[in-house]
Amino acid sequence: MSEKVWNKPTPEHVRKGEREVFERTVLPYVNAAYNLARWLTRREEDAEDIVQESLLRAMRSFGTFIPGRDARAWLLAIVRNCCRTRLRRKGLEEPADQLDETVPATGLWSNPETVLIENINSQLVRRAVEELPLEYREVLVLRELEELSYKEIAQILDIPLGTVMSRLSRGRRELHGRLCNVIQEGRK
Amino acid sequence: MSCDRIQDSLDAYLDRELDVLSARDFERHLNDCDACRVAFERYRDLQASVKTQLPYFQAPESLVRKIRTQLGSSERRGEPSTIAWRAWAVAASLVICLAFGTLLFRSALRPSSTELIADQVVSSHIRSLMANHLVDVPSSDQHTVKPWFNGKLDFAPPIRDLSPEGFPLIGGRLDYVDARAVAALVYKRRQHPINLFLWPASDVDSKPSALVIRGYHVIHGIQSHTAYWAISDLNADELKQFVQDFFYQSRERSDRSADYTTRTTVHSNFIAAKRGNAHNHGSQSPQMPVRPLIRESRLPLPAPCAA
Ligand SMILES: [Zn+2]
């Protein structure tokens, strides 16, 4: 943290300082923000709007950001909330109770068929993930692409750690099962 | 651990979210139970393949430009008093954190040049990502990057082709750390850029230390009279793998791995948190696993500052 920013308390310097600190700590995660928004909304234009909105919101509430904490997780939580709001407004949000978290995860583990890994390509995976319920998509993107820990994911999604674990495991098995089906369909 | 439990903790194991004891139980069961081992391997391979095929969407250039303009104008519109107040709130909380940190750790850890360098390295890394100025010489060929530094530096930085290890070279950049010109090599793992800063060191070799600063993983040390700092938003294990491949590749497998000390900084104060690998005491055996199929234990990553 550069000290010269804080040593000159004239308004211009302070203003400049805040912008500078914001740019240094939050702006590097524009890609992460866009990627999450893109996966959650599934549309380029929506993702762009959401990233703009989220960064403005982040800038406005930057005073509540605690220096030293993970700016990426902080920004992603804002992005995720913006996505939720937009999907709800558009009437696109699936109700959360659609997922029965008590039903044991099925999928490849219990499926004796072995999917041929060579048949998996990014287009298949992309389509299959896009078709997953929102709750699975968000944990999968945060874990597989952002490589966040369960604890960080729990904080971003504001759900218990155990729910992260079960959703991720269910989401992966659901995804594996769907991929398996698609590939088998394709072979017939 | 029962077969059911294996199925339940499979993902946590793969994500290294199991505690050391449970991970050991998990592995013990896999050794004894053929059915679980076969299923585990299939799941692991499929999972790895899905993960590598999952696309990461990059923000379009135009969007990034738009955001910069937008931030600039919103700043001008904002009321100076509230913005000043907010900035001071940030400054104040920083001061409190620093004061608290100093109080706690003053005796153990005095501010060192390492801390200052660490801060500069992190800033350089972020700057290189933000300004879209990752490299001066974009090339995956070490024989292009190496001569580029001729005349720009008073030393010839070592450069390695690590694409077989999954770390393709992106290029090189001239940077400044600790008031001197240094070589910055840029490698990539998936979408994560790695900045490797190199400059000559007169000190004796020192073992790599791992730090977490402002959410970035950093590994630094001195090897063959070269001071190195590797930094990335990549996970700690893969960054260690990178450092190992870069500096310890040619050695015998038995001493390829470097002994690691892990430290964390919170607001640029270092908290010593040596890894407690009790079984390694007094021996030369490596602490850093060499790309194991089944990882021994998960790295005790420090939690972000909860202040
Ligand atoms: Zn078993």
Side-chain angles (χ1 to χ4, degrees):
Chain A
M1 204 73 41
S2 75
E3 271 166 27
K4 62 177 183 292
V5 169
W6 307 116
N7 285 343
K8 295 181 179 150
T10 60
E12 299 81 61
H13 277 93
V14 173
R15 256 191 278 171
K16 219 173 144 211
E18 188 185 25
R19 164 103 191 267
E20 208 180 287
V21 174
F22 182 80
E23 290 206 349
R24 211 170 45 201
T25 42
V26 182
L27 266 198
Y29 301 116
V30 165
N31 273 335
Y34 180 78
N35 180 55
L36 179 65
R38 177 68 200 269
W39 276 111
L40 296 190
T41 62
R42 295 180 281 212
R43 284 163 52 94
E44 259 172 59
E45 312 86 81
D46 287 348
E48 292 203 16
D49 287 355
I50 280 171
V51 172
Q52 287 188 57
E53 193 189 326
S54 304
L55 276 146
L56 270 183
R57 271 201 212 178
M59 178 72 187
R60 281 193 209 114
S61 56
F62 193 47
T64 64
F65 176 73
I66 297 158
R69 283 191 90 164
D70 186 356
R72 179 174 55 150
W74 182 71
L75 180 63
L76 290 179
I78 297 175
V79 170
R80 188 259 185 174
N81 289 335
C82 285
C83 287
R84 286 273 179 171
T85 311
R86 171 171 291 239
L87 291 173
R88 205 177 303 132
R89 222 170 33 221
K90 284 187 154 189
L92 291 172
E93 194 181 39
E94 303 103 305
D97 58 6
Q98 204 179 316
L99 300 181
D100 190 345
E101 317 242 354
T102 58
V103 172
T106 53
L108 205 72
W109 184 272
S110 52
N111 186 347
E113 294 277 354
T114 313
V115 80
L116 289 176
I117 288 172
E118 304 92 76
N119 282 319
I120 291 181
N121 61 48
S122 70
Q123 219 180 344
L124 279 185
V125 173
R126 183 179 153 183
R127 210 172 312 139
V129 172
E130 280 184 341
E131 284 169 7
L132 286 176
L134 186 65
E135 277 73 15
Y136 290 157
R137 249 181 297 142
E138 49 189 24
V139 283
L140 280 171
V141 170
L142 293 175
R143 176 61 217 170
E144 315 292 31
L145 292 175
E146 294 302 334
E147 300 182 328
L148 292 163
S149 70
Y150 287 8
K151 191 175 154 200
E152 290 166 318
I153 297 173
Q155 280 165 357
I156 291 173
L157 301 181
D158 198 20
I159 54 177
L161 200 75
T163 311
V164 173
M165 205 177 294
S166 62
R167 257 187 217 174
L168 190 58
S169 142
R170 235 174 283 274
R172 278 174 179 165
R173 287 163 209 209
E174 180 69 34
L175 176 63
H176 294 177
R178 288 181 188 212
L179 282 169
C180 199
N181 290 342
V182 171
I183 287 165
Q184 278 165 357
E185 288 290 307
R187 265 202 242 114
K188 274 179 202 158
Chain B
M1 205 179 261
S2 67
C3 294
D4 282 351
R5 278 288 306 272
I6 290 290
Q7 183 174 344
D8 288 343
S9 33
L10 182 57
D11 290 277
Y13 178 77
L14 283 175
D15 292 329
R16 272 163 290 143
E17 294 274 352
L18 281 189
D19 60 87
V20 181
L21 281 182
S22 309
R24 207 172 291 160
D25 282 351
F26 187 98
E27 283 158 15
R28 209 170 287 146
H29 183 94
L30 286 197
N31 279 332
D32 299 340
C33 174
D34 287 343
C36 280
R37 194 177 52 250
V38 169
F40 166 79
E41 284 168 1
R42 198 174 56 190
Y43 188 89
R44 179 198 62 200
D45 295 348
L46 180 61
Q47 170 53 24
S49 152
V50 166
K51 190 171 168 168
T52 52
Q53 297 294 340
L54 196 62
Y56 195 102
F57 296 108
Q58 299 282 333
E61 254 325 290
S62 58
L63 175 65
V64 179
R65 268 199 305 275
K66 226 184 281 173
I67 286 168
R68 283 180 181 282
T69 326
Q70 216 176 30
L71 290 181
S73 57
S74 86
E75 173 190 70
R76 252 170 270 125
R77 272 203 312 273
E79 281 173 43
S81 58
T82 44
I83 290 199
W85 184 85
R86 250 186 273 133
W88 278 107
V90 173
S93 57
L94 183 75
V95 167
I96 291 166
C97 272
L98 280 172
F100 190 60
T102 314
L103 204 70
L104 273 177
F105 306 114
R106 190 176 43 195
S107 56
L109 301 137
R110 259 164 248 103
S112 64
S113 65
T114 310
E115 270 178 69
L116 299 176
I117 293 173
D119 199 52
Q120 290 175 33
V121 162
V122 175
S123 297
S124 290
H125 176 72
I126 295 173
R127 220 179 305 121
S128 74
L129 300 179
M130 258 181 40
N132 232 332
H133 181 211
L134 205 50
V135 288
D136 291 322
V137 49
S139 172
S140 57
D141 182 5
Q142 48 171 320
H143 305 295
T144 307
V145 177
K146 205 176 172 88
W148 181 86
F149 283 110
N150 286 349
K152 297 183 180 70
L153 294 171
D154 52 1
F155 63 98
I159 303 182
R160 274 179 185 278
D161 175 19
L162 295 180
S163 50
E165 283 80 15
F167 299 102
L169 181 65
I170 303 301
R173 187 180 73 245
L174 193 64
D175 214 317
Y176 293 86
V177 173
D178 204 19
R180 64 158 304 149
V182 304
L185 303 180
V186 182
Y187 289 83
K188 220 163 197 174
R189 178 75 141 198
R190 295 184 301 281
Q191 77 277 14
H192 307 284
I194 302 167
N195 261 300
L196 178 64
F197 297 90
L198 301 167
W199 63 90
S202 48
D203 302 349
V204 290
D205 288 3
S206 73
K207 285 167 180 171
S209 300
L211 318 167
V212 180
I213 306 170
R214 291 190 236 159
Y216 291 97
H217 291 290
V218 178
I219 296 175
H220 70 99
I222 296 174
Q223 179 68 25
S224 316
H225 299 292
T226 303
Y228 65 85
W229 286 75
I231 171 165
S232 180
D233 60 333
L234 192 64
N235 65 63
D237 278 1
E238 284 181 293
L239 190 62
K240 283 184 179 184
Q241 189 68 54
F242 169 78
V243 169
Q244 183 175 309
D245 289 341
F246 193 96
F247 290 101
Y248 306 94
Q249 201 177 38
S250 51
R251 302 239 199 126
E252 285 296 302
R253 194 193 156 98
S254 60
D255 71 310
R256 261 178 77 171
S257 304
D259 202 8
Y260 262 81
T261 46
T262 302
R263 295 193 297 175
T264 312
T265 77
V266 177
H267 312 302
S268 80
N269 276 294
F270 291 89
I271 305 166
K274 279 215 169 172
R275 291 186 59 191
N277 279 19
H279 63 276
N280 264 339
H281 280 189
S283 75
Q284 287 286 86
S285 65
Q287 279 192 328
M288 192 164 68
V290 184
R291 211 173 277 163
L293 276 180
I294 294 175
R295 291 198 177 80
E296 277 186 6
S297 64
R298 75 183 259 257
L299 186 81
L301 262 187
C305 172

